[in-house]
Structures are given as structure tokens and as C-alpha cells.
């Protein structure tokens, strides 16, 4: 049995010890630098509010499991979870609208919740001044965790199964044999280990750096205050129950509240970000019992107190009695960090985890370690989700600070980062700026969403009858009617799309073909010049990504991928002699698509680009005019045309060449909003949004990319053993031309929630919004569904796929 050392006896480390030993891995040692269980880490004084509803399905599932697990824990001193319920109130129309969106997430992810009137809120929480609020969102299964008891109960259970707890044992270093961890070094010597899990809370980044890992987390101070006695609370609670009123969030003022018997605890995120420098913190507090507690900075709390007293008038006669600035981890995107070190086998991390998600993260980590993969999708938390650009100290600090500022803000699903922009620009950037591109950010890249230069064209099309949906304020953000015109023009004429940010790798070497055959589901061992659409599966058959694999030479492949996690997955499995190189940065790509694409490109090329000579899903190295390019006849927008790749140094010339040659055909540049709507019309999925590792290929509508007759590939055995999935990904088309959805909305049949939307786009071709939704497998084409979009109920109909061009006439001509 492998020996596991868990670093950290906070809520994460103890929960992990419990989950590992429950799976029979009982040779577990949990070490902590502090005493048990008030170790001095963040868990020691977390007030333990558990609000389960989260835009992320995975984070909500983590929280649901925490509630379920803590509820069932046994601790001699009392409850580990007190289900007082959760109440979030709105004091602005924007927040009230957003609580409707939140109610939608709750419904979609299976959390009980209801919107309440102001007086219903007051009945539930009599301290709230109902005149200040527009309404509230109540979740009866939310509540309070007693994190210290939960940690102790889980640790003791693990101990009873054979685990060892070692307080006052600081890990000073990680010991390895060059390839694998072999133990951890402490003042008392080395504790041998086959697996080491870093669950060291905000110490984690420092520890991981010793083994060459960058953990993008920032220890950040956050204010928590307890009031003196509040007369209105006297007699309501016992010392045992501590609380009976729902935990309360006043997100418009970055505040939360809980009861401590006859006092209130108030947490505030309304202050400036206070990142903590670990070098000085640990030097200053090394001898202290609670390094995670900094002195209270009263001046930061003063405005929060005024805001708190406005919502809760009972505070007006009270004051802060004890308070501190507590430290815990923030990450650039608010998600936890989970996974195994790629270059040092056996070194795992479970970091930046709230009490709320702790049991869920611990379970998924234990499954990952013991079974090889977590049972739910964890890609949002993956250790290798960060692009290089996102791993500099400056980037990590700025974006994590921003995440702190925005922790309770209303975040639009298409909202992009504003800090540290302009770091990754392709060779077309200057041209795009001249054309009035509206830039957003993705993967660190500046990406055009649409071009103002097309405004006149849009007006002309509208005058000629192109319908533009009437969008509400929310769905109109990060969207423009111009994108409808760009999409229409692509289907009628021709457009050029900047595909530079599409992640691509060069896979080379003697064993390259065998390697890709082994890693992916489709047959990629075809002739030089072939392109294959294929999937990466994990060992359970779940979809890790979808790729295009182009064979440029017998031992040279270009792989079109989705994220740094694909690079990670391929690199982990790469045999000696095969090289996987990310070539995204040094190259560029333009997609030229539309019925006139051949008219634009063929005159520039000495090779024959006719349909017969250059077939669909083929690739060719050639020249356009004098520019060396690799052309691929592939189209994510579902039109005739090519992805045209070149070295970045040729980019400016390539753009000008295509724009010039296309002028007589009316070529326009088009952006990502049009691109997204076209790919949804065509039935193409976007990995990470439409499908994840939680889904099997057939359920996601991707069975066609799996060759079960291929000798062997990762995930094949699991697919053979799999029973049919209960849900399938379907296209739905909205009845009302003005109806818009943005993703993650609950979908109901006959009034009962049966699924959720993944992605959506307004289709210029059919004049309606089309969305993907996970629905019960038995849902038939033609079935009527409803979608709850921020409280508005939109009707839609399940449509056969793809909605546009099922016969492939547009592409294969
Ligand atoms: P920790 O509890 O910090 O545990 C890490 C452990 O690792 C520590 O015990 C430390 O001593 C040990 N360690 C570190 N380095 C070493 C080493 N080299 N060798 C040995 N041991 C080591 N979350 C919620 O969900 N809801 C809330 O309402 C909430 N409110 C909060 C309020 C405050 C004021 C604070 C500070 C945090 C709050 N949090 C809340 C966040 C939550 O407390 C943390 O996210 C969570 O406790 C982190 O747990 P952990 O086990 O990862 O870390
Ligand atoms: N271009 C390239 N690589 C990529 C993408 C791309 N890799 C990542 C991502 N996008 C992959 N997604 C898709 C989805 C669908 C298609 C291509 C890439 C596609 N599908 C055809 C279909 O379903 O009809 C495939 C048909 C076939 O198997 O022959 O074209 O945009 N380079």
C-alpha cells in the first residue's frame, strides 16, 4: 500500500485523510507545523459560512458534498454543520436581477432555493431592515460549518482507520529521487512517502516552489469582527446551537453576517486588497500560535460598519468587540488548485480551498490519487490550467487582488480581465486596431469580438431586412448587432477570422504516430496531408479535449488543441523520442471562410485549390503569393475555406495579402461573437463549456470521432464497459426571436428542471438564439422546453443537429 504524507491538518488535509483511508489507503500521515486542531492556519478561525450556490457546477457540487458530509460527522462537542439556511439580499435593481440568475444556477445544479419579498426576508431574518432591500434569495440547506470540529472529526476517523497525525512537525523540504517524491524532510528526519499532498493552505505556494511548481495563489487578509451583545439576539440561541438565523450576505456592500449566540459576526471584503508577503509574515510570526491572524486595521472597517448598521439597525447601539484581519488564499480566477506535479510524480496539491468546498475537493483529490481520475469535472481547478503569461508574480498578484475586489461583484459571463492587458498580441493586432476591433481577452491574447469597421455594412444589411434581436441590457453587454452582420456575411460571401490564439502543438519523433494513436479516439494514422478530428479521453472515458490532428510529414503532426491542460496531458504520456512543442506563440493563423473563400485564395496559390484537388479535412504546405503557409481545409464555422498558418513574422504581410485579394469579393474581418454563433449553428462543441471529462463521447454527440475498432487507446476499455448516459447534449432553438440566454440557465420540461444550458449564440441564419443543453437522454427532437433566464421564462424547442447545413453542402463544394 502506498505511503501518503499529507502536509497540513487544516480542513483540506484532514478531509483528504478521511477520504483516502475510506478508500482503503490507510497508510496516511498528516503532518502540521502547528498543534492540533487549531493549527494556526486559516481553518483555525474560519467563521464557516457555507453558501453552496456558485456559477460553477463543479464548485456547487463540492459545496453540496461538504454540507452532506459535515452534517453526518460526529464530534463530542456538538455539530459540525448547522443548517440555518442562507439568505442573500439585494439593495440595488442590478443585484435583484442577479439574484434571479443565481436562483437559476441553484436550480440547474440541484440546490434548493427561492426568491423572497422584503417582508419574507425579514420574517426569516428579523434583524434585516426590509425597507433597505428589494428582495432576497433563500437557500434552506446552506448553513454554518464548524470547521475545527469537522477537521477533528475527519482526522479522528482517519486515525481510527490507521492514519497517523503528527502535530508540531514542519515540513522543511521535499525529498525525491529525481523523478518521484520519496518523502518529506522534517527537523526529526525524513518521513518516507510515495505520495505527498500539499494541503498547506496559504503556505502552499512557498512549499511548492521548492519543487519547481508555481501555484498562482496569494495570501490575502480579510476582516472579520464580532460585535458586543445585541439585545435583539439575547435568548434566541443557546451556547450549543450558536445560531438559528440564516447566514446573511449583503453583497452590494461586500458584507456577510452570522450569529455567535447573542453577538453578530461580520465579515467584510469591502476594504482594499491586503496581500500578505510570506517572507515578512513568517519572520514576524514564526513564534506565534496564529500566523494566519493579523492585527485588525480599524480604519479599513469603518465604512463597512456603517453599511452593516444600515442593513441591520440593531447594530446601531453596538460596537466591534473583537476583530482581526485573517489570512487565506486567493487565486486569479477564484478557483482552487488541484492536481499532480507533472515532472515530480507523487507530488500533489489541494490548495486555495474554502471550507465550503473542502470535502468536495478532498473527495475528488482522493479519487484522482486512488482511481486515476476524479468522478466529477475538475478542469476549472486544474493545476495546469494557467498559461505561461498567467504565472508571473506580477500577474498572479494583480489578478488575485482583482479577484478579491470582485469576490461579491456581479460578474457578467463574458466579462474579461482589464488588468495587464496587451501582453499577448498577434501580428494582426495593429490592423485590427485600425479596423476598430472591440478587444476582449482570452488565454492572455487580445481577441477581436467584432469590428466597428463593419458598422456601415451592418446598417446596409439591416436596411435590406437583416433582423437584429432586441436584447435586454444584460445580454447586450459584450455583444454587438455588428456581429449578426458579420455572421450573415460569412454565410453569404467571405470573412477572415484571427485564429492565432488557437492552441497548437507540433508533435514530432519516431513514435509520434503511435503516440497520438494511443492517446486519441480516432484513426490518425492516415496519409501525409490528412487532418483528423479526434478526442482525448481520460481513463474513465470522459472527454478531456477535442483536437484536430494534421499529418504534415510521416513523423510530424500539428495538433489543434484547447488549453494548456492538453499540453500537460500529452506531455505526461509522451514516450522518450517524441517531442510535444507548443508552437502557438511563434505562428499565426487566419481562417478564410465563406462561399467565396476559394475565389479569394486560389488566385494567390500555385497549387490547385479546387474541391477535387484539395479535399475537405486535408492540409497542404504551400505559398500564398510569396508567403510560406500551411493550409488546412477545416472550418469551425461550417463554411468552405481554410485555416491558413504562417510564421508570426509573415503575419502582417499575410493579413494584407488576404484583405487586398479579397476586396473584390467583399471580404471582411469578423470577430469571435460571429464565430461562436456560426459554430453553434453548425453543431460544433466547445470543450470546457459544452462538454468536459464528466461526459462520454456518445452523450456529447461525438461518438462519430471514436473508432472502437482501433487496437487500443486511452479510455477505450472504459467506453466498452460504459452503460448509456442518462443525459445527452442537445441543440435547442428559442421560439421568440428576441430571447437570449448566455449559459448555465436551468432547462425545464413541463415545469420541472431537467437540465442546463451550456453555450448559446444568436443565429443570423435562422433568426433565433440557438443553445446547447444537457437534457435527459429520452428528450426527443421537437420536445418543448423552457429556460429560466434571470427570472424570464423563454420557450424553446429541441432541434435536430446540426441546425444549419446538415448535408454539409456548404463545406464540401
Ligand atoms: P489551513 O487551514 O491554513 O491549513 C493548512 C495547514 O498547513 C496549517 O495548519 C499549517 O499549519 C500547515 N502547514 C503549512 N505549512 C506547513 C509545513 N511546511 N509543514 C507542516 N505543516 C504546514 N471559508 C469558507 O468557506 N467560509 C467562510 O465563511 C470563511 N470565512 C473566512 C474568514 C476568515 C477570517 C478567514 C481567514 C478565512 C475564511 N474562510 C472561509 C476561508 C477558509 O478558512 C480557508 O479557505 C480554509 O480554512 C483553508 O483550509 P486549508 O486546510 O487549505 O488551510
Ligand atoms: N481548428 C483546429 N483545431 C481545433 C479547433 C479548430 N482544435 C480544437 C477545437 N477547434 C476542436 N473543435 C472542433 C470541432 C469540430 C470540428 C473541428 C474542430 C469539425 N468537425 C467536423 C464535423 O463534426 O462535421 C469533423 C468531421 C470529420 O470528422 O471529418 O470540423 O477550430 N485546427
Amino acid at each position: 500500500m502506498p505511503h501518503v504524507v499529507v502536509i497540513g491538518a487544516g480542513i483540506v488535509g484532514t478531509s483528504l485523510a478521511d477520504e483516502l483511508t475510506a478508500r482503503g489507503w490507510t497508510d496516511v500521515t498528516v503532518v502540521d507545523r502547528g498543534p492540533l486542531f487549531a493549527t494556526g492556519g486559516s481553518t483555525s478561525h474560519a467563521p464557516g459560512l457555507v453558501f453552496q450556490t456558485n456559477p460553477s457546477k463543479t464548485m456547487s457540487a463540492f459545496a453540496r458534498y461538504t454540507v452532506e458530509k459535515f452534517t453526518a460527522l460526529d464530534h463530542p462537542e456538538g455539530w459540525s454543520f448547522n443548517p440555518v439556511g442562507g439568505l442573500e439580499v439585494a439593495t440595488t435593481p442590478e443585484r435583484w436581477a442577479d439574484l434571479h440568475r443565481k436562483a437559476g444556477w441553484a436550480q440547474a445544479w440541484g440546490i434548493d432555493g427561492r426568491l423572497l419579498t422584503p417582508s419574507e426576508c425579514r420574517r426569516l431574518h428579523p434583524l434585516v431592515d426590509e425597507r433597505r432591500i428589494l428582495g432576497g434569495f433563500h437557500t434552506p440547506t446552506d448553513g454554518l460549518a464548524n470547521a475545527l470540529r469537522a477537521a477533528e472529526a475527519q482526522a479522528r476517523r482517519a486515525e481510527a482507520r490507521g492514519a497517523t497525525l503528527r502535530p508540531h512537525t514542519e515540513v522543511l523540504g521535499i525529498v525525491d529521487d529525481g523523478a518521484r517524491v520519496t518523502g518529506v524532510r522534517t527537523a526529526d528526519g525524513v518521513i518516507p512517502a510515495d505520495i505527498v499532498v500539499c494541503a498547506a493552505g496559504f503556505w502552499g505556494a512557498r512549499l511548492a516552489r521548492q519543487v519547481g511548481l508555481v501555484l498562482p495563489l496569494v495570501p490575502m487578509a480579510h476582516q472579520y469582527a464580532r460585535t458586543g451583545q445585541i439585545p435583539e439576539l439575547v435568548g434566541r440561541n443557546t451556547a450549543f446551537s450558536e445560531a438559528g438565523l440564516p447566514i446573511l450576505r449583503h453583497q452590494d456592500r461586500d458584507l456577510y453576517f452570522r450569529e455567535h449566540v447573542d453577538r453578530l459576526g461580520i465579515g467584510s471584503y469591502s476594504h482594499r486588497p491586503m496581500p500578505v508577503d510570506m517572507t515578512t509574515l513568517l519572520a514576524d510570526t514564526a513564534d506565534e500560535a496564529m500566523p494566519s491572524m493579523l492585527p485588525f486595521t480599524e480604519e479599513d472597517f469603518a465604512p463597512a460598519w456603517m453599511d452593516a448598521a444600515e442593513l441591520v439597525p440593531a447594530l446601531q447601539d453596538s460596537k466591534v468587540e473583537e476583530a482581526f484581519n485573517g489570512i487565506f488564499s486567493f487565486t486569479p480566477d477564484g478557483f482552487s488548485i488541484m492536481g499532480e506535479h507533472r515532472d515530480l510524480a507523487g507530488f500533489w496539491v489541494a490548495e486555495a480551498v474554502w471550507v465550503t468546498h473542502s470535502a468536495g475537493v478532498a473527495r475528488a483529490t482522493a479519487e484522482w490519487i486512488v482511481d486515476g481520475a476524479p468522478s466529477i469535472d475538475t478542469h476549472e481547478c486544474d493545476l495546469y490550467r494557467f498559461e505561461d503569461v498567467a504565472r508571473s508574480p506580477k500577474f498572479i498578484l494583480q489578478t488575485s487582488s482583482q479577484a478579491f475586489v470582485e469576490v461579491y461583484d456581479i460578474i457578467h459571463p463574458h466579462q474579461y480581465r482589464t488588468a495587464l492587458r496587451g501582453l499577448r498580441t498577434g501580428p494582426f493586432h495593429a490592423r485590427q486596431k485600425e479596423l476598430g476591433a472591440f478587444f476582449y481577452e482570452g488565454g492572455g491574447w487580445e481577441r477581436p469580438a467584432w469590428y466597428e469597421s463593419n458598422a456601415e455594412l451592418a446598417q446596409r444589411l439591416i436596411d435590406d431586412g437583416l433582423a437584429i434581436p432586441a436584447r435586454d441590457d444584460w445580454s447586450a453587454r459584450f455583444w454587438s448587432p455588428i456581429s449578426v452582420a458579420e455572421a450573415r456575411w460569412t454565410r453569404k460571401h467571405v470573412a477572415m477570422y484571427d485564429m492565432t490564439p488557437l492552441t497548437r502543438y507540433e508533435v514530432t519523433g519516431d513514435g509520434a504516430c503511435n503516440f497520438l494513436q494511443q492517446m486519441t479516439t480516432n484513426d490518425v494514422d492516415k496519409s501525409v496531408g490528412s487532418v483528423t478530428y479526434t478526442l482525448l479521453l481520460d481513463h474513465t472515458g470522459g472527454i478531456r479535449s477535442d483536437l484536430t490532428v494534421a499529418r504534415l510529414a510521416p513523423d510530424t503532426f500539428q495538433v489543434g488543441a484547447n488549453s494548456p491542460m492538453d499540453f500537460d496531458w500529452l506531455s505526461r504520456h509522451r514516450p522518450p523520442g517524441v517531442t510535444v512543442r507548443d508552437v502557438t506563440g511563434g505562428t499565426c493563423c487566419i481562417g478564410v471562410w465563406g462561399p467565396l473563400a476559394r475565389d479569394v485564395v486560389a488566385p494567390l496559390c500555385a497549387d490547385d485549390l479546387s474541391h477535387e484537388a484539395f479535399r475537405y479535412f486535408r492540409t497542404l504546405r504551400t505559398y500564398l503569393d510569396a508567403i510560406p503557409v500551411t493550409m488546412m481545409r477545416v472550418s469551425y464555422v461550417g463554411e468552405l475555406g481554410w485555416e491558413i498558418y504562417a510564421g508570426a513574422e509573415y503575419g502582417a504581410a499575410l493579413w494584407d495579402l488576404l484583405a487586398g485579394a479579397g476586396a473584390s469579393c467583399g471580404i471582411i474581418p469578423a470577430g469571435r461573437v460571429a464565430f461562436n454563433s456560426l459554430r453553434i449553428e453548425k453543431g460544433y462543441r466547445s470543450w470546457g463549456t459544452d462538454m468536459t471529462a464528466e461526459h462520454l463521447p456518445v452523450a456529447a454527440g461525438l461518438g462519430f470521432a471514436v473508432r472502437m475498432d482501433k487496437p487500443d487507446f486511452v479510455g477505450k476499455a472504459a467506453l466498452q464497459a460504459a452503460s448509456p448516459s442518462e443525459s445527452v447534449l442537445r441543440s435547442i432553438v428559442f421560439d421568440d426571436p428576441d430571447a437570449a440566454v448566455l449559459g448555465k440557465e436551468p432547462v425545464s420540461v413541463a415545469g420541472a428542471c431537467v437540465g442546463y444550458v451550456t453555450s448559446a449564440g444568436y443565429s443570423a441564419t435562422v433568426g433565433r438564439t440557438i443553445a446547447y443543453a444537457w437534457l435527459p437522454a429520452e428528450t426527443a427532437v421537437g420536445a418543448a422546453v423552457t429556460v429560466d433566464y434571470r427570472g424570464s421564462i423563454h420557450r424553446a424547442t429541441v432541434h435536430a443537429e446540426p441546425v444549419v447545413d446538415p448535408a454539409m453542402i456548404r463545406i464540401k463544394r
Side-chain angles (χ1 to χ4, degrees):
M1 191 192 307
H3 183 64
V4 184
V5 168
V6 177
I7 308 173
I11 194 65
V12 175
T14 53
S15 197
L16 182 61
D18 183 49
E19 295 286 340
L20 286 170
T21 55
R23 284 168 177 73
W25 281 37
T26 54
D27 191 354
V28 174
T29 305
V30 182
V31 298
D32 201 291
R33 63 194 290 283
L36 299 177
F37 284 88
T39 60
S42 307
T43 306
S44 307
H45 31 248
L49 290 83
V50 177
F51 288 96
Q52 298 165 88
T53 311
N54 188 290
S56 157
K57 173 170 174 276
T58 294
M59 295 304 266
S60 295
F62 284 162
R64 273 171 43 194
Y65 180 63
T66 302
V67 167
E68 184 188 310
K69 188 177 192 195
F70 286 13
T71 302
L73 288 176
D74 237 357
H75 191 285
E77 280 160 30
W79 52 269
S80 295
F81 189 76
N82 184 355
V84 290
L87 178 65
E88 308 198 349
V89 293
T91 59
T92 60
E94 294 74 26
R95 180 70 62 179
W96 182 226
D98 203 52
L99 289 185
H100 287 76
R101 183 168 66 127
K102 202 166 234 178
W105 297 332
Q107 215 189 337
W109 314 148
I111 295 162
D112 190 17
R114 207 158 68 83
L115 292 161
L116 303 181
T117 64
S119 63
E120 287 174 315
C121 291
R122 190 190 43 85
R123 269 203 294 285
L124 209 57
H125 201 309
L127 265 50
V128 170
D129 183 352
E130 68 174 90
R131 292 165 310 178
R132 298 269 166 205
I133 62 176
L134 301 173
F137 175 56
H138 179 224
T139 37
T141 59
D142 285 347
L144 285 169
N146 185 315
L148 274 183
R149 281 186 207 143
E152 178 161 14
Q154 294 180 91
R156 294 296 176 215
R157 188 155 72 187
E159 202 175 26
R161 296 189 190 115
T164 308
L165 305 175
R166 293 188 53 173
H168 306 293
T169 307
E170 179 161 10
V171 170
L172 302 171
I174 312 296
V175 193
D176 64 72
D177 64 8
R180 281 201 68 88
V181 290
T182 54
V184 297
R185 190 164 50 77
T186 74
D188 303 329
V190 169
I191 308 176
D194 306 299
I195 287 177
V196 173
V197 187
C198 181
F202 63 79
W203 286 264
R206 259 175 52 115
L207 211 50
R209 201 177 316 139
Q210 295 190 15
V211 288
L213 263 191
V214 173
L215 296 190
L217 66 80
V218 176
M220 205 82 86
H222 151 60
Q223 296 199 292
Y224 192 74
R226 288 186 192 217
T227 67
Q229 195 180 60
I230 305 227
E232 283 86 342
L233 291 180
V234 173
R236 286 197 75 100
N237 304 309
T238 62
F240 181 83
S241 73
E242 290 177 43
L245 299 176
I247 53 174
L248 176 66
R249 261 179 175 171
H250 179 17
Q251 291 180 286
D252 294 316
R253 287 288 181 270
D254 295 312
L255 294 171
Y256 64 82
F257 303 83
R258 62 158 288 184
E259 292 165 281
H260 293 280
V261 191
D262 53 3
R263 283 132 212 273
L264 271 188
I266 306 172
S268 166
Y269 293 106
S270 72
H271 50 82
R272 69 203 153 92
M274 299 191 260
V276 173
D277 181 342
M278 287 299 280
T279 46
T280 52
L281 176 84
L282 294 181
D284 293 348
T285 58
D287 300 329
E288 288 174 29
M290 284 291 167
S292 60
M293 255 172 138
L294 294 174
F296 191 53
T297 49
E298 219 173 315
E299 63 286 3
D300 290 310
F301 198 74
W305 178 262
M306 309 273 287
D307 291 331
E310 262 191 24
L311 181 69
V312 179
L315 288 173
Q316 272 151 19
D317 303 321
S318 178
K319 59 177 178 36
V320 171
E321 213 164 74
E322 13 165 347
F324 63 101
N325 292 1
I327 305 172
F328 69 107
S329 307
F330 274 80
T331 56
D333 53 11
F335 288 105
S336 302
I337 308 175
M338 305 165 63
E340 185 182 17
H341 197 320
R342 177 160 73 231
D343 305 313
L344 184 61
F347 187 86
W348 292 75
V349 302
E351 286 288 341
V353 184
W354 289 33
V355 171
T356 301
H357 310 111
S358 56
V361 167
R363 174 167 71 173
T365 303
E367 289 168 343
W368 203 343
I369 293 173
V370 175
D371 307 330
S375 62
I376 75 171
D377 163 47
T378 55
H379 84 273
E380 292 162 312
C381 296
D382 198 287
L383 167 60
Y384 287 99
R385 70 186 180 275
F386 303 97
E387 300 272 355
D388 272 351
V389 67
R391 287 151 23 99
S392 73
K394 178 169 181 176
F395 190 100
I396 294 167
L397 179 62
Q398 283 206 11
T399 53
S400 301
S401 297
Q402 190 60 23
F404 177 90
V405 170
E406 290 176 355
V407 65
Y408 277 4
D409 285 2
I410 299 167
I411 307 290
H412 192 278
H414 298 156
Q415 184 168 320
Y416 46 77
R417 184 161 50 72
T418 52
L420 286 170
R421 289 290 300 271
L423 280 172
R424 275 186 119 176
T425 57
F428 318 135
H429 189 243
R431 295 289 182 272
Q432 293 167 339
K433 259 168 69 177
E434 287 163 19
L435 292 162
F438 178 88
F439 288 103
Y440 73 104
E441 175 274 333
W445 290 94
E446 296 298 321
R447 315 188 73 173
W450 62 81
Y451 293 84
E452 285 300 328
S453 60
N454 293 324
E456 259 172 54
L457 171 72
Q459 194 52 54
R460 228 168 58 227
L461 296 183
I462 292 165
D463 293 344
D464 289 349
L466 177 66
I468 301 292
R471 288 204 156 191
D472 64 295
D473 288 351
W474 182 252
S475 61
R477 281 188 213 174
F478 311 108
W479 185 85
S480 166
I482 293 172
S483 67
V484 181
E486 290 176 357
R488 163 62 59 94
W489 199 260
T490 308
R491 291 258 183 263
K492 295 256 182 212
H493 304 276
V494 60
M496 49 200 267
Y497 289 83
D498 180 2
M499 299 291 287
T500 302
L502 172 82
T503 314
R504 48 195 171 273
Y505 313 131
E506 193 177 74
V507 180
T508 49
D510 262 357
C513 186
N514 284 342
F515 169 58
L516 290 169
Q517 279 293 70
Q518 169 68 28
M519 292 306 293
T520 77
T521 57
N522 210 336
D523 182 14
V524 300
D525 189 2
K526 298 186 194 130
S527 60
V528 169
S530 65
V531 182
T532 308
Y533 177 67
T534 186
L535 307 177
L536 285 181
L537 305 184
D538 66 20
H539 297 94
T540 70
I543 306 170
R544 277 198 65 107
S545 190
D546 64 339
L547 311 174
T548 56
V549 175
R551 191 165 205 175
L552 302 180
D555 293 330
T556 304
F557 294 82
Q558 181 170 318
V559 173
N562 286 299
S563 84
M565 290 175 276
D566 296 337
F567 184 81
D568 175 52
W569 184 251
L570 292 173
S571 301
R572 274 172 200 276
H573 291 88
R574 179 185 61 81
V578 173
T579 306
V580 181
R581 200 163 63 89
D582 188 330
V583 295
T584 316
T587 57
C588 63
C589 179
I590 300 179
V592 179
W593 291 309
L596 301 181
R598 190 175 285 117
D599 302 270
V600 175
V601 182
L604 302 172
C605 189
D607 280 301
D608 182 354
L609 302 191
S610 67
H611 178 56
E612 294 68 31
F614 193 155
R615 298 196 318 275
Y616 182 52
F617 263 74
R618 297 289 299 177
T619 182
L620 179 71
R621 279 176 159 169
T622 180
Y623 292 84
L624 288 187
D625 194 43
I627 303 171
V629 295
T630 299
M631 294 178 70
M632 276 183 215
R633 197 171 156 199
V634 170
S635 172
Y636 201 51
V637 303
E639 284 296 330
L640 170 66
W642 293 268
E643 291 175 352
I644 302 168
Y645 297 88
E649 72 273 35
Y650 299 109
L654 180 63
W655 179 280
D656 292 344
L657 177 69
L658 292 169
S664 59
C665 298
I667 199 167
I668 58 164
R672 292 298 287 189
V673 177
F675 182 84
N676 189 54
S677 99
L678 294 171
R679 67 104 187 157
I680 291 175
E681 288 182 347
K682 192 64 185 84
Y684 296 160
R685 278 81 171 123
S686 175
W687 186 84
T689 306
D690 297 320
M691 76 291 193
T692 67
E694 231 167 271
H695 305 112
L696 301 178
V698 170
L702 297 174
F704 69 88
V706 182
R707 290 282 297 267
M708 290 304 279
D709 56 351
K710 222 173 65 167
D712 196 22
F713 56 86
V714 175
K716 181 180 176 187
L719 292 186
Q720 278 164 337
S723 32
S725 303
E726 286 168 15
S727 323
V728 293
L729 189 67
R730 283 291 168 79
S731 287
I732 62 175
V733 178
F734 285 85
D735 298 356
D736 176 356
D738 291 333
V741 298
L742 300 176
K744 301 179 191 266
E745 294 86 358
V747 183
S748 298
V749 170
C753 178
V754 294
Y756 60 92
V757 172
T758 56
S759 54
Y762 177 78
S763 161
T765 311
V766 300
R768 302 242 186 303
T769 287
I770 306 175
Y772 290 115
W774 282 97
L775 294 171
E778 64 275 14
T779 316
V781 166
V785 301
T786 56
V787 180
D788 181 339
Y789 167 76
R790 303 168 91 221
S792 298
I793 305 300
H794 294 324
R795 294 171 188 289
T797 307
V798 177
H799 204 288
E801 279 190 30
V803 176
V804 169
D805 195 26
M808 305 285 280
I809 291 162
R810 307 192 65 86
I811 295 187
K812 297 191 180 174
R813 57 175 150 184

